[in-house]
Amino acid sequence: MATSKKKSASSKRPAAKRRAGKKYVYNFGGKTSEGDGSQKALLGGKGANLAEMSRIGLPVPAGFTLSTEVCTYFYDHGKKYPATLTKEIDAALAATEKVMGKKFGDLKNPLLLSVRSGARESMPGMMDTILNLGINDEVVEALAKKTGNPKFAWDSYRRFLQMYGSVVMGVEAEAGEHHDPYEVILDAAKEKAGVKIDSGLKVEDLQEVVAKFKALIKKRAGRDFPQEPRAQLEGAIGAVFISWNNDRAKVYRRKYHIPASWGTAVNVQAMVFGNTGKTSGTGVAFTRDPATGENVFYGEYLIDAQGEDVVAGVRTPKPIIKMAKDLPASHKELLKVRKVLEKHFRDVQDIEFTVEEGKLWMLQTRNGKRTGFAAVHIAVDMVKEKLIKPEEAVARIPAEDLDQLLAPIFDSTAEKKAKRIGKGLPAGPGAASGRIFFHAEDAVKAAAKGDKVVLTRVETSPEDLRGMIAAEGILTSRGGVSSHAALVARQMGKICVCGASDLEIDYNKKTVTANGVKLKEGDYISVNGTSGAIYAGQLKTADSEVIQAVLEGNKKALKSPTYKKYAQLITWADKFRKLGIRTNSDSPEQVRNAIAFGAEGIGLCRTEHMFFEGNRIDAVREMILADNEEDRRKAVKKLLPFQKKDFIGIFEALDGRPATIRLLDPPLHEFLPHTKEQQKELAKKLKLKPSDIHRRVEELHEFNPMLGHRGCRLGIVYTEITEMQARAIFEAAVEVQKKGIKVHPEVMVPLVGFAKEFELQKEIIDKVAAEVRKENKLRATQLKYQVGTMIEIPRACLTADEIAKSAEFFSFGTNDLTQTGLGMSRDDSAGFLPHYEEEDIITTNPFATLDQGGIGKLVEMGVKLGRKARKDLKIGICGEHGGDPKSVQFFHRAGLNYVSCSPFRIPIAKLAAAQEALKDKAK
Amino acid sequence: MATSKKKSASSKRPAAKRRAGKKYVYNFGGKTSEGDGSQKALLGGKGANLAEMSRIGLPVPAGFTLSTEVCTYFYDHGKKYPATLTKEIDAALAATEKVMGKKFGDLKNPLLLSVRSGARESMPGMMDTILNLGINDEVVEALAKKTGNPKFAWDSYRRFLQMYGSVVMGVEAEAGEHHDPYEVILDAAKEKAGVKIDSGLKVEDLQEVVAKFKALIKKRAGRDFPQEPRAQLEGAIGAVFISWNNDRAKVYRRKYHIPASWGTAVNVQAMVFGNTGKTSGTGVAFTRDPATGENVFYGEYLIDAQGEDVVAGVRTPKPIIKMAKDLPASHKELLKVRKVLEKHFRDVQDIEFTVEEGKLWMLQTRNGKRTGFAAVHIAVDMVKEKLIKPEEAVARIPAEDLDQLLAPIFDSTAEKKAKRIGKGLPAGPGAASGRIFFHAEDAVKAAAKGDKVVLTRVETSPEDLRGMIAAEGILTSRGGVSSHAALVARQMGKICVCGASDLEIDYNKKTVTANGVKLKEGDYISVNGTSGAIYAGQLKTADSEVIQAVLEGNKKALKSPTYKKYAQLITWADKFRKLGIRTNSDSPEQVRNAIAFGAEGIGLCRTEHMFFEGNRIDAVREMILADNEEDRRKAVKKLLPFQKKDFIGIFEALDGRPATIRLLDPPLHEFLPHTKEQQKELAKKLKLKPSDIHRRVEELHEFNPMLGHRGCRLGIVYTEITEMQARAIFEAAVEVQKKGIKVHPEVMVPLVGFAKEFELQKEIIDKVAAEVRKENKLRATQLKYQVGTMIEIPRACLTADEIAKSAEFFSFGTNDLTQTGLGMSRDDSAGFLPHYEEEDIITTNPFATLDQGGIGKLVEMGVKLGRKARKDLKIGICGEHGGDPKSVQFFHRAGLNYVSCSPFRIPIAKLAAAQEALKDKAK
């Protein structure tokens, strides 16, 4: 994540304050601040940016931030606070009162406060917030008097009671209760008053509601709602810290790998009110379109409303452009603020503002979450606008986001023919087809069964998070681009259409109806998150624009802004990165794709995949079933022409680039048929008895095939297999060379644990190479090759110096290294790995992202020892971690020469490699 | 192995010689020598000891040694010799001629030579020897004239031709030829002459044999036998070096872990002749009985014979005591030499001598190979005799040899009742019953099928080695205590009876007949290697004397010399060793045995074994089949009383010693029935549908169970299992404590890879301990325990510092650490491990002896990092390597606190630990 850390900012802070004891509370407001934007770790994202906005003169309601250190202290000390905290809060509150010219709990000009969480990284909606804090039975009267607006005062009181009661005092809908008890009271009041919306209630109605809320709280919590403002404040602060460890916050942290140890800050800030009448309002906006990246001011607002009304998606807000008519002065000021913020923070900003009686207040700014599409567009645009440098553009795009640019879109012909049933706001670009499910838990269940799901809801809330993660696409009938659904879609790169008001969703009947078409749970629906269109049924997909441009050379796609910006980004990444990028490819087709994506060679060509093609599997089986070396040699010989042909195709496709070819790796039983029927059939073909085949299958059965007779252990016992494969490689090389195409074969021996294993295999390979040279009358320089090894079991890392004496290159096989190093089978770990993530034993699946603390140490050891024995040892990695950004960055730091990944992960690997190289520069 | 290295000896060597260039040839003889007994690595065992004997004034025929460096040079340089070698041989030969007063190839007083191999460690019969070298058509006449004994001269010539032809020129029995071609000629000559034994042949007969031998050689080798003595010498030297790499030498080296890189020396020595008539003879002897260890001069000799006649077992030699009558002066001198040698070498000596015309010549001395019984007896006796110190006694007994003292003997009642069919020389103590096989390859095949085998032969030769290794016992009808069979039995600790002349063996009919009883191949026979008795049929065995003494307190056994010496040895070992010795025991019975052997506690108590006892497996299965936590808790609760009872028994048996108890380790599917029948039965018992059980079995199926859901991964997902086990341990501890018995439970969490895994399990264990204390109103000091972990996957070694922060002890689980660290399943490696040993990829099975170069590094890393985090961390090892001497010695060096092994390996572990501790002292 990019941060807006600025050295100049922190150097302006008075040194004395930094040196003074442990400081827990930081003031801001009145165009000055004790903290600044660089202090996200200490003040949280929200707190740091409030301080920064205040520091650069933007209108921020005064307040103070309790640092994240209070949170960690709180959890480290059995939920107690530092001894000095109360005093610091006293002082900070006094300063806030001074700036705002109001007093907390005052009966003349009372100051109301908001209390909000604010972690280092934004965790929207995950933790608790309390607004309008400081009202009680007396203050409400003072507020009514001071504002001359009793309705506003009593409405604020009832809002405060509702929030405080549920969040701090735990009075919420109970098990078996289907409706929120506060809403039940409110609905009864509205019915009694004969009005439809909250704002229709009169002062007396609201007073009755307040009385009923207080009674509800007392009854359920067993104690009175606290009248004392300072007690209210303490309760609210505690509730926010507690909410750091609620279930949904934990789920969120796991997904985004946010350590529990970071803790959250708490921001206490003077309330300003967007709900005092027609000259007030509140809104949220992005300085650019966060879905597409287009450079337009993008947001929405509500007149006479408090902030949560916008975000909650209850009232549908108006597009920001309309503010020019409703609140012209504030709109003008906001446009100025937009420019100031982008220039200052040099990134797209996600802001919250309130207009109180015509005065604009900035409540929040932060780097805007954006889709992968938007990230690429914005970063490349900002370079063009000279706001940032190419290095920054490369550094700030999460590498994984590039996946969105490669994801399929709807086939245009199919889309034209499809039954369009509605349109919503395009909040997450891409194409998703799936079965309709209305509830998160149903979506999770269906996805677990392998169904593709479109989670279809009126609106989403944090409780739906697991369902949203499980779904292919998200569709809502209510809520704008700032709604929860839109926000999560942006952050997770989910395909999303929101606020599709054509849809009528009936949760009870489990149906969605739109333009006369009624679909029920389990039916297919398709959503185009780029255009907002919604279709009944399943739609055919097509390659994304980027893929059409890269792999198919499609002219229209080549001219598309998305491809052009993608290409620009990759050009920069190629310039900055130090790591080579190769591909794991087993066929000429895959190799061509990989080269189109910029692969510099093959890092892993698995020869066994070729064994299954056509009827050559028969020869493979004949080889395995042979009783003696002679018969085995005969069978192996039949495979030679096939393998040779394969390699010719690959060498030609590579056109001079190097190819690391791994010798046969899997245990032989993988090639034999396991059902009786198949064994019978094979017996017939090979003129054997089925019982012979059955016996051989039994003989080859292994308890732990992962740790069995495979890898070089095959080539050592059955040297004829290694001989055949080496011959196929070298004969193919000679043949392709004759066509004037250069060939660089790198023969890779798998699963080496003992140096001698490698030496024995190398001896055979060298012998075959010498034979092939002799047969073709070539000098050594006319058929060059290297012999190296896969480093994939711990012993190889521990003895890498011995192995490197004869091995000319290493390639880390991190899949198997992870399995052996952790003693954990990838196939069998599903029973406990999810539990491990929940228990925070691991932060990420070690088969997806390299376990740096464990397996990473083995890799580092292997590199160090290997280079000790052979200074210029070429080292790569060809496990699946080669396409994972965090792992790629680790491999850069570990000093590897290249990573190898599947063709479609190449752009991501390039970007990740460039980002890590840039970090070196920054040092 | 103990060496007789003496610093004073090497310091006497002239410094100038050691500094001069590279010296390859070392003279000895004439009561002086260029080398000495400490130079076994350079001169080989034979060469070094010839030099040493000469140095201390014993009568050694002069000669010289080509050092082992010639051998390594030879193999490193495509079988070429160092350039200076010929010159050095010239000079050495001249010196030899001078001492002996004869000249090589001379036609007046010719010197004949022997050429013998001599590796650093003795490899009896594995390499080639040539005797009587230097004879040709002219020298034979000169020899006849000089000795006045033409028959002796011509007999020497024919012996030389036979040896040289077969060894150097490769003229031997060919494929399909059943008899040795030289023997065929010799037999024909004897028939023609009408005599039965070789010595019956007259000069003319021998001359005819010589002519026929020369013709045979020319015909088959395609060239003449070389007449030039120097050419003969070169051929013989080359043949010995080549024989270093023959097949049987390779097999032998693999078994005894002798590196190929050591090479052999070649000893060229003046021939002396035991076959010149009645005043000559030759013999071999041990300064004490190498089978029992008794302090008696022990050996045999033949009058009028050359050395190989004794060793080959062709003529049955006479016991050495009879020499006092046949050759009284030489016998008297030999008794003196016996004393000199034992005093000088301070160990039992295995000597060869020849008497030529009444003069005694010493041809060889070396530390005598002995059985485990003899090793213990001799070492303890020599301490009593003040020849050596207890430290030396402990240091020189191969720890593994103690196994022989624990091996079963025949039940005395059974032996009395058994049908005794013969008696031979007791050459390898112990009791063996097995099926009769007459040929090595048949023995190997039968043993591979699981049969116990007694290899029964007229005599054995090096070709039979594999069969001897495969057999339980060895029985020969011919050959004395110095025969090949006796020698191998001593060295390998095989049970052996040799020279049982009652037996008539018919290889063709595959029968053995003795005292009227005819047994055929496959029938059972029993041999008592302690008494020499042979029985038809299978005999019941009983515990050895040591076990009867240790475990049963049998009074007779307690008084037996073997037990008394064993006990003395263990007392010394206990005094010297630093490593603690614990036991792997799962039941009170095993614990009691282990304590009798001197275990200081339990290092590994596997709790899952208890799960299978009685009908508790039903509760285990109920637990596994439970659908939810509640049902699972119910089932687990049923197990609690069982487990508690188990632990009570164990704590009581331990009587205050510590107990490391491992929590449940194996994957759950190991407890479920896998056949349909069993599943049906279980379903009935648990009132479930068989399909439910089948489904659960399928669910739990794992591709690689070794790397699956097991170890602490179970306790983390099913915390109730850990809770139950912890409760059983602590409740048992409380109960046993109440009886006044101290209890030290050490709860061990298995398969930890991440520190957090351990922390979570420790939290549960601590919680349960607190509960049990509270329930029993105990203070913390009244129920003490430790919580530690098994270190058995590579990641645990790599992150041992993190784990040791909360783990109070480590125990290396080297079985699993070997499997994961090598990526090699113990169960599945049988397909390639034997091949790996043949190819010298590994020297020992890594599951038997720790792979120090790989897994050892992980152990060292774990120790280092663990102690970094916790200085006084207690570290043990509980894999099967805990009972393997080489591994135990490694663990001592690695700084472990204790090793844990099965009860019967404790004496071996103690001895090995003491030996390594003594090495520290020696430094």
Side-chain angles (χ1 to χ4, degrees), chain A residues 701-710 712-714 716-719 751 753-754 756-757 760 793-796 798-799 801-802 819-829 831-832 835-836 839-842 846 851-855 857-858 861 865, chain B residues 701-710 712-714 716-719 751 753-754 756-757 760 793-796 798-799 801-802 819-829 831-832 835-836 839-842 846 851-855 857-858 861 865:
Chain A
H701 169 263
E702 295 185 309
F703 295 101
N704 293 286
M706 171 67 214
L707 308 175
H709 195 172
R710 51 175 286 246
C712 70
R713 297 164 192 172
L714 291 172
I716 285 170
V717 175
Y718 308 117
T719 51
L751 211 75
F754 297 84
K756 185 76 182 269
E757 289 176 320
L760 288 172
I793 56 178
R795 196 184 197 279
L798 296 161
T799 60
D801 47 349
E802 294 166 24
Q819 298 199 78
T820 49
L822 303 188
M824 201 183 276
S825 154
R826 182 160 55 167
D827 298 326
D828 301 319
S829 56
F832 56 91
H835 196 89
Y836 268 43
E839 293 275 9
D840 264 343
I841 295 170
I842 53 172
D851 160 40
Q852 293 182 24
I855 307 308
K857 286 187 186 171
L858 285 174
M861 198 179 300
L865 291 176
Chain B
H701 170 263
E702 294 185 310
F703 296 100
N704 292 286
M706 170 67 214
L707 309 175
H709 194 171
R710 51 174 287 245
C712 70
R713 296 163 194 172
L714 291 171
I716 285 170
V717 174
Y718 309 116
T719 51
L751 211 76
F754 298 84
K756 185 77 182 267
E757 289 175 320
L760 289 173
I793 57 177
R795 196 184 195 278
L798 295 161
T799 61
D801 46 348
E802 294 166 26
Q819 297 200 78
T820 50
L822 302 187
M824 200 182 278
S825 154
R826 184 161 52 167
D827 298 326
D828 302 319
S829 56
F832 56 91
H835 195 90
Y836 268 43
E839 292 276 10
D840 264 344
I841 294 169
I842 53 175
D851 160 40
Q852 294 181 23
I855 306 307
K857 286 188 185 173
L858 285 175
M861 197 178 302
L865 290 176

Side-chain angles (χ1 to χ4, degrees), chain A residues 166-222:
Chain A
S166 62
V167 168
V168 182
M169 304 188 70
V171 177
E172 289 181 294
E174 288 170 351
E177 196 173 21
H178 292 294
H179 300 282
D180 179 75
Y182 303 97
E183 292 297 336
V184 170
I185 293 170
L186 209 55
D187 286 346
K190 282 189 279 189
E191 201 174 330
K192 190 178 161 199
V195 297
K196 289 219 156 177
I197 54 171
D198 294 0
S199 57
L201 293 174
K202 296 195 193 110
V203 174
E204 300 74 41
D205 304 331
L206 289 166
Q207 285 171 334
E208 210 179 308
V209 167
V210 162
K212 285 189 172 158
F213 278 7
K214 286 197 287 187
L216 171 76
I217 289 170
K218 182 163 187 184
K219 189 180 163 205
R220 296 218 180 161

Side-chain angles (χ1 to χ4, degrees), chain B residues 185-290:
Chain B
I185 293 169
L186 208 54
D187 287 346
K190 284 188 277 189
E191 202 174 330
K192 192 179 158 198
V195 298
K196 289 219 160 178
I197 51 169
D198 295 0
S199 56
L201 293 174
K202 298 195 192 107
V203 173
E204 299 74 42
D205 304 329
L206 288 166
Q207 285 171 334
E208 209 179 310
V209 168
V210 162
K212 284 189 174 157
F213 278 6
K214 287 198 287 187
L216 171 76
I217 290 170
K218 180 164 187 183
K219 189 179 163 205
R220 295 219 181 159
R223 60 194 168 96
D224 276 316
F225 157 81
Q227 289 286 327
E228 219 292 294
R230 220 14 225 279
Q232 293 172 0
L233 180 58
E234 271 159 33
I237 290 172
V240 174
F241 283 137
I242 292 285
S243 70
W244 172 249
N245 267 343
N246 68 29
D247 285 344
R248 58 176 197 255
K250 282 186 186 168
V251 170
Y252 188 95
R253 284 206 294 270
R254 248 195 313 282
K255 176 149 178 71
Y256 292 98
H257 312 313
I258 297 174
S261 63
W262 279 4
T264 182
V266 173
N267 298 292
V268 180
Q269 192 176 18
M271 284 294 298
V272 289
F273 298 96
N275 57 341
T276 59
K278 298 276 174 220
T279 57
S280 298
T282 191
V284 297
F286 284 82
T287 54
R288 306 192 184 207
D289 185 332

